[in-house]
Amino acid sequence: MAALSLPSTLTHDEAQACLQHLQAGIAQLPAGAAVQIDASALAVFDSSALAVMLGSRRAALGAGRPFEMRGVSAPVLSLARLYGVDGLLTTAG
């Protein structure tokens, strides 16, 4: 399983560059390799962070790779619930 990480700050200003970085990392993985996104460093965020997570999920699943989020904090999960997307962010650890 390949681990990619979210930065400590992920707001609207960082979202596009972060998503492009994650998509590039996913594209470089061997075929069928699972994708794991580590969100444990994420401390400052807004709803754009959810868009990045979901965009990463879409890129992974579109490439036929299993997807998993790790280290998702309670505040991030709470925001995901508020937007109704918590079920799309499979989490572990």
Side-chain angles (χ1 to χ4, degrees), residues 3-92:
L4 301 168
S5 298
L6 296 180
S8 60
T9 299
L10 183 49
T11 63
H12 177 75
D13 292 338
E14 299 85 19
Q16 183 175 0
C18 183
L19 180 57
Q20 289 173 345
H21 173 75
L22 293 171
Q23 288 171 331
I26 291 167
Q28 292 176 359
L29 296 174
V35 175
Q36 183 181 85
I37 305 290
D38 182 1
S40 60
L42 190 59
V44 177
F45 61 91
D46 61 17
S47 60
S48 298
L50 295 178
V52 169
M53 291 178 201
L54 293 172
S56 298
R57 176 184 183 272
R58 193 169 32 256
L61 297 179
R65 306 174 197 289
F67 177 82
E68 181 179 83
M69 292 294 307
R70 294 191 70 75
V72 180
S73 68
V76 174
L77 284 175
S78 179
L79 184 62
R81 270 191 228 85
L82 178 67
Y83 280 88
V85 298
D86 53 313
L88 299 176
L89 299 175
T90 304
T91 60

